[in-house]
Amino acid sequence: MLKRTAMFVFLVAATSVRAQMVMSARTLIQTIQQHGNSGTSIEPASTPVPMLMTDRGAWRLMVHANAFVANTQQQADLHRNRDAFFSTNWIMPMAQRSLGANGRGGELTLRTMFSLEPATVGDRNYPELFQQGETAYGNPIVDGQHPHDFFMEVAALYDLPLSPHTLLSFYGAPIGDPAIGPTAYPHRQSASEDPIAALGHHQQDSTHIAFNVLTGGLTYRIARIEFSGFHGGEPDEHRWAFQPSPNGHAIDSYSTRLTISPTPDLTGQYSIAHITSPEALYPGENQQRQTASIMYHHTFHSRTTHTPGAPHLASEMGDSTESQSKPSPSPDTMNMQDMPGMDMNSTRQGSATHAPPPMMMVPDPRTDLATTFLWGRARSLTDNSKENSYLAEALLRFASTNYIWTRLENAGRSNELLLTPGTPLPPNFIEIPIGHVAAYTFGYDHDLPFGRHILIAPGAQLTIYRTPEALRPIYGNTPTAETLFIRFRLR
């Protein structure tokens, strides 16, 4: 499997593609069919998704990836200071095709996602003050974020249009992302320049790597309802293979999510889940998790891009015949037929009955804004204790290559933070909420070309924390974190 994946990545990377084009959409249904996010989550339709892409016969092949090489200095009073050099990263290869005569049999998407974090994050976690969740060497992680598994997702997705405005969808994944929360922080646009995990990750989107996920969804115009069954236990520390959680792989948890997308720039969701025994250290404790979010994206200015020898026209990929009507000319979209590596004849001739689903490519924005407002709550079904977290993120790109961002958080924490990092739970330890930590992050980076299909962005960010009273003797009042990094992205 790994050999075939490597060959696929090499094939796509070797294809000549216009670097300044990104995937986008106009409607909720188009966004779902493109499957540019993890699991079945979506961002606003106008959100750009940079990737390498080519058509091969009836299949459309795509790959997109993001990686950070970072050094962070986490500074607090007493013995909580910590620094580390590490990399957070992921790569997502994907293949799509339509089924049946004239695509009436729906669309099939095969997608995988991999991360090298098991090798690039030392000590089974990287430093992040006040972060909690999962284990390292059998002990609770305190002031650190665990790496992601090598297999982040292995999934098949099937979409069947029932009418021009109605879409039935199915998702199956031995490792995947059930219908809980918005797009997880590693994949959402508003967090795309931040190398550090959100403090509220385990109340908001930690289920983005789960075992044995089955999801069904129905979309009508601007609304979508989904239901998922999955295994609730989080992955264990052995992150290179399909490792079971301590209580196996059985589907024992469920969730539902309602998504509303009234405009191409705006998406909101509410989700609720019953999760069986998510934490390895508390095997008898089940959770109810709720999330609500609003995501907004708007492009203010786009680059003007012309294909040599081709008119500057709007075009949606995947039309089955030349006689289909074209969208009106627009400065923000572009004819894809003559783009190097985009062999549209392979779908228009000979294999027209299996043309890939519609795909719209637009010039990379010069100025755009992405924001996320997110609430998450984890409630113990054992003792009814609750931890809430609140997040506001904003990412502004300006002058094409410059990014500034902020992440503002208020996250509930537990008494695990009173433990010495790297030590086991004391006998008969009972986890209880202890207060809320505030975190204020600000950052900047700048894109530079690195070869034909990679952008690098050196950058820096500063986080200032506000400590709850119960933790001030250990952390001080206002700990800080400084992070220097280089971001790599396929384009």
Side-chain angles (χ1 to χ4, degrees):
M1 179 178 178
L2 292 179
K3 183 177 180 181
R4 289 195 298 270
T5 301
M7 291 177 64
F8 168 67
V9 173
F10 176 80
L11 167 67
V12 179
T15 304
S16 178
V17 184
R18 295 287 290 193
Q20 58 266 58
M21 303 305 290
V22 293
M23 187 172 72
S24 187
R26 293 193 183 100
T27 68
L28 174 60
I29 287 179
Q30 286 180 353
T31 306
I32 294 168
Q33 289 176 303
Q34 290 179 0
H35 296 302
N37 296 113
S38 65
T40 57
S41 67
I42 64 164
E43 297 187 84
S46 65
T47 304
V49 183
M51 62 172 56
L52 301 179
M53 181 185 307
T54 187
D55 283 357
R56 287 292 180 263
W59 289 93
R60 174 166 301 130
L61 307 179
M62 292 164 278
V63 62
H64 53 131
N66 213 54
F68 294 92
V69 177
N71 181 271
T72 188
Q73 306 278 336
Q74 304 277 326
Q75 303 184 68
D77 286 354
L78 300 180
H79 304 296
R80 296 302 175 108
N81 294 342
R82 188 178 164 202
D83 63 90
F85 180 78
F86 62 97
S87 171
T88 53
N89 51 80
W90 56 265
I91 184 169
M92 180 194 287
M94 181 164 60
Q96 290 181 315
R97 64 167 293 162
S98 290
L99 305 174
N102 296 316
R104 293 175 182 172
E107 293 109 23
L108 174 67
T109 301
L110 303 177
R111 190 174 65 201
T112 58
M113 193 185 313
F114 304 97
S115 175
L116 292 177
E117 290 180 17
T120 61
V121 173
D123 294 326
R124 301 187 183 180
N125 70 107
Y126 64 80
E128 182 177 13
L129 287 174
F130 302 105
Q131 185 62 297
Q132 299 177 255
E134 300 200 18
T135 63
Y137 305 102
N139 302 318
I141 293 177
V142 174
D143 295 336
Q145 172 63 35
H146 61 82
H148 291 106
D149 284 21
F150 175 68
F151 292 98
M152 296 179 71
E153 185 179 46
V154 179
L157 306 96
Y158 176 69
D159 300 299
L160 179 64
L162 302 180
S163 76
H165 304 296
T166 308
L167 185 70
L168 182 64
S169 302
F170 298 96
Y171 172 88
I175 295 182
D177 187 353
I180 308 175
T183 299
Y185 79 88
H187 310 291
R188 61 179 178 250
Q189 179 74 5
S190 60
S192 60
E193 305 302 310
D194 190 332
I196 304 295
L199 279 181
H201 175 47
H202 282 264
Q203 290 92 41
Q204 298 163 357
D205 52 25
S206 63
T207 52
H208 74 113
I209 300 179
F211 294 113
N212 288 348
V213 182
L214 295 175
T215 301
L218 182 67
T219 306
Y220 179 71
R221 293 186 180 271
I222 67 169
R224 185 189 202 192
I225 185 72
E226 299 171 90
F227 300 93
S228 288
F230 60 99
H231 179 70
E234 294 176 338
D236 66 14
E237 298 178 35
H238 305 288
R239 300 186 179 274
W240 285 106
F242 287 83
Q243 293 288 337
S245 68
N247 52 335
H249 272 158
I251 295 177
D252 55 14
S253 305
Y254 50 88
S255 67
T256 185
R257 176 168 60 194
L258 174 65
T259 301
I260 304 291
S261 188
T263 74
D265 285 353
L266 187 65
T267 291
Q269 68 82 33
Y270 169 77
S271 55
I272 187 169
H274 173 94
I275 307 176
T276 298
S277 189
E279 294 283 351
L281 293 176
Y282 307 98
E285 184 175 31
N286 301 334
Q287 280 187 5
Q288 181 193 77
R289 186 172 301 172
Q290 297 181 70
T291 76
S293 64
I294 296 174
M295 305 180 79
Y296 173 80
H297 173 268
H298 184 72
T299 296
F300 298 96
H301 302 287
S302 291
R303 306 184 191 194
T304 301
T305 306
H306 295 277
T307 302
H312 189 64
L313 299 175
S315 175
E316 287 192 16
M317 300 171 57
D319 297 342
S320 60
T321 65
E322 292 288 356
S323 63
Q324 287 185 302
S325 61
K326 305 283 186 186
S328 302
S330 164
D332 290 339
T333 57
M334 159 179 183
N335 191 314
M336 301 294 297
Q337 286 185 242
D338 295 328
M339 284 179 61
M342 300 303 295
D343 183 7
M344 300 307 294
N345 289 329
S346 65
T347 60
R348 298 177 187 267
Q349 300 175 8
S351 57
T353 59
H354 298 287
M359 189 73 66
M360 187 176 74
M361 302 297 287
V362 299
D364 207 11
R366 289 179 55 86
T367 306
D368 70 329
L369 173 69
T371 62
T372 298
F373 300 93
L374 172 58
W375 163 73
R377 168 184 284 180
R379 179 171 72 90
S380 169
L381 297 179
T382 300
D383 60 10
N384 204 39
S385 61
K386 306 177 185 68
E387 288 185 359
N388 290 279
S389 64
Y390 308 87
L391 174 146
E393 287 176 339
L395 171 66
L396 175 67
R397 169 170 29 187
F398 62 96
S400 297
T401 57
N402 298 280
Y403 302 81
I404 56 172
W405 65 90
T406 185
R407 175 186 285 163
L408 310 178
E409 292 193 83
N410 188 289
R413 304 289 86 172
S414 82
N415 56 341
E416 278 189 357
L417 292 180
L418 296 173
L419 304 176
T420 301
T423 60
L425 288 180
N428 302 314
F429 180 84
I430 298 176
E431 186 180 23
I432 58 173
I434 199 171
H436 281 73
V437 172
Y440 312 96
T441 297
F442 307 91
Y444 169 81
D445 65 14
H446 176 77
D447 270 337
L448 298 169
F450 186 75
R452 190 170 187 180
H453 298 303
I454 298 177
L455 288 174
I456 65 171
Q461 72 176 32
L462 169 69
T463 301
I464 301 171
Y465 300 96
R466 185 65 177 171
T467 311
E469 184 174 354
L471 295 175
R472 288 177 187 171
I474 300 174
Y475 291 90
N477 291 339
T478 54
T480 62
E482 299 82 35
T483 305
L484 300 175
F485 64 87
I486 298 177
R487 188 259 294 142
F488 296 81
R489 178 171 296 142
L490 288 181
R491 59 170 181 167

